[in-house]
Amino acid sequence: MTDAAIPRFTGDALPYAGGDPYADHRTADFPFTHLVDLADRRLGAGVIAANDEFFAERENLLKPEPAVFDPEHFGHKGKIMDGWETRRRRGVSAAEPHPTPDDHDWALVRLGAPGVIRGIVLDTAHFRGNYPQAVSVEGASLPGSPSPDDLLAPDVKWTVLVPRTPVGGHAANGFAVDAEQRFTHLRINQHPDGGIARLRVYGEVAPDPAWLAALGTFDLAALENGGQVEDASDRFYSPATNTIQPGRSRKMDDGWETRRRRDRGNDWIRYRLAAQSEIRAVEIDTAYLKGNSAGWASLSVRDGEDGDWSEILPRTRLQPDTNHRFVLDAPVRASRVRIDIFPDGGISRLRLYGSLTEGGADALAARHRELGG
């Protein structure tokens, strides 16, 4: 992936003229948005500090839904925006009324899961004339739960992920990232001031091997533990990645639902586990899927990228809005898992409980060292 292939947006958007505020929103199909959002609040992400949030609070950056615009929504500080917005910067005197080239605002973001970042989107939706002139992003990797003071200490190493780059108003500004390192925190800079509606950080989770070793048995497919969706037959209503998000589904679109099939086929999701593992128990949850849950499901595994699939759970009837639990007769070794649903519909979560093999643990530890963990 090259940054040259990423569309660029600059300049003001037109003032809001009524109707659908997203009608003239500038965006693109970025090549990394199929990956997990490492800054998803469901994974535990948070905006832990900002130097200024006078007009709109920093926490808005990580809301999962698109930014909302209400032209009539004003408060005692002015227009209320659904994003992070700072006050206008000024120079030091009447003789020097403009901010200096180095003046900027910043926010510190804790990623929900540490990982390798492949792309970042800074969306200035509805910030038409009050967006930053430019943005930059830096990443750092610190153990534990560092405070803002810890992150701002002079000895912390920050790596530039997005150099200072002009951006456009009312636009999804996307950036490819080429840094084969594990990051835990980001510093979002806007030059010199302005507003950003949403932040998305796409990449691959890189879990801590010591933590997984201490857990022993854990969910081998979970996003937070390094599991990922490799492919799916259908993503019409909702992404397949929802099936390995933390916690139980809380509403219908928090799971995976396919369009209605009119052929004799079936739908499926293929997963890559955290590393080579031994699976001992399975949960298939259809929470909140009542008239549209899958009718039946089967589970197959493969050890490695190639080879035949071996069925470990035969085609089994699923009930709507129900968590189904299965204990396997014996541990099953695998690095890939495929769930097939029949004929269509959806599931909300898939949990695969077990532990890493010795080889899987060694491979994960080697990858952790390679990424600077």
Side-chain angles (χ1 to χ4, degrees):
M1 184 193 312
T2 63
D3 199 53
I6 306 297
R8 284 276 174 263
F9 304 110
T10 56
D12 292 352
L14 294 174
Y16 175 62
D20 178 6
Y22 273 104
D24 60 342
H25 179 250
R26 295 175 285 176
T27 188
D29 292 327
F30 300 114
F32 42 71
T33 54
H34 63 287
L35 300 171
V36 61
D37 179 7
L38 300 174
D40 192 326
R41 281 201 60 85
R42 289 174 294 181
L43 287 175
V47 187
I48 61 175
N51 72 305
D52 186 294
E53 47 186 331
F54 185 85
F55 285 114
E57 59 190 19
R58 63 184 191 255
E59 287 84 1
N60 289 335
L61 281 171
L62 303 188
K63 285 182 178 178
E65 64 276 355
V68 175
F69 181 71
D70 181 352
E72 306 298 328
H73 198 190
F74 285 84
H76 66 278
K77 291 183 179 180
K79 182 73 186 71
I80 295 176
M81 298 293 289
D82 186 10
W84 168 48
E85 185 182 6
T86 65
R87 73 193 79 197
R88 298 186 188 220
R89 281 185 170 268
R90 299 294 185 234
V92 295
S93 67
E96 299 179 20
H98 302 290
T100 72
D102 293 331
D103 285 343
H104 68 278
D105 294 319
W106 53 263
L108 297 176
V109 176
R110 177 190 65 245
L111 297 179
V116 181
I117 299 170
R118 304 300 184 189
I120 294 173
V121 175
L122 292 163
D123 195 338
T124 57
H126 317 304
F127 289 95
R128 294 169 176 269
N130 51 346
Y131 60 94
Q133 182 183 38
V135 299
S136 61
V137 181
E138 301 159 277
S141 183
L142 276 75
S145 304
S147 69
D149 286 343
D150 294 332
L151 289 164
L152 296 172
D155 60 338
V156 173
K157 178 189 175 184
W158 289 93
T159 299
V160 175
L161 305 180
V162 178
R164 184 169 174 168
T165 306
V167 292
H170 196 45
N173 299 279
F175 306 91
V177 175
D178 184 17
E180 201 69 18
Q181 299 177 51
R182 180 181 186 267
F183 295 103
T184 60
H185 292 79
L186 298 185
R187 183 161 59 191
I188 311 300
N189 303 306
Q190 46 180 346
H191 310 266
D193 53 39
I196 300 169
R198 294 291 187 267
L199 166 70
R200 302 291 184 250
V201 182
Y202 297 101
E204 300 148 10
V205 176
D208 181 352
W211 175 252
L212 297 184
L215 292 179
T217 295
F218 59 92
D219 182 359
L220 302 159
L223 280 176
E224 59 195 313
N225 295 330
Q228 58 183 281
V229 169
E230 285 193 323
D231 200 2
S233 62
D234 187 288
R235 298 178 175 87
F236 188 82
Y237 286 113
S238 45
T241 301
N242 280 353
T243 60
I244 50 176
Q245 289 279 6
R248 293 199 72 199
S249 174
R250 297 185 178 183
K251 53 181 180 174
M252 190 176 74
D253 66 352
D254 192 22
W256 173 60
E257 182 189 359
T258 72
R259 75 191 81 195
R260 299 186 188 212
R261 275 191 172 267
R262 300 308 187 205
D263 59 20
R264 307 302 291 178
N266 73 282
D267 288 313
W268 50 268
I269 306 175
R270 189 174 73 242
Y271 304 89
R272 178 196 295 265
L273 305 184
Q276 187 192 62
S277 310
E278 287 192 338
I279 306 167
R280 293 190 287 274
V282 175
E283 284 187 359
I284 303 174
D285 196 352
T286 59
Y288 290 95
L289 295 164
K290 299 182 178 181
N292 51 352
S293 68
W296 292 262
S298 65
L299 210 63
S300 302
V301 300
R302 186 167 72 188
D303 190 16
E305 297 187 16
D306 303 312
D308 296 330
W309 291 94
S310 175
E311 189 175 75
I312 63 170
L313 181 69
R315 194 177 303 189
T316 302
R317 187 75 169 96
L318 299 182
Q319 300 301 319
D321 197 27
T322 300
N323 193 25
H324 309 76
R325 290 180 170 175
F326 309 93
V327 176
L328 302 182
D329 292 337
V332 175
R333 179 168 294 194
S335 65
R336 306 292 196 288
V337 172
R338 172 176 164 141
I339 187 168
D340 285 87
I341 63 169
F342 303 89
D344 55 25
I347 63 171
S348 61
R349 295 291 188 270
L350 175 68
R351 304 296 188 211
L352 303 172
Y353 295 105
S355 53
L356 299 179
T357 64
E358 183 177 349
D362 289 345
L364 199 65
R367 176 65 171 157
H368 189 66
R369 291 190 297 270
E370 187 181 295
L371 296 174

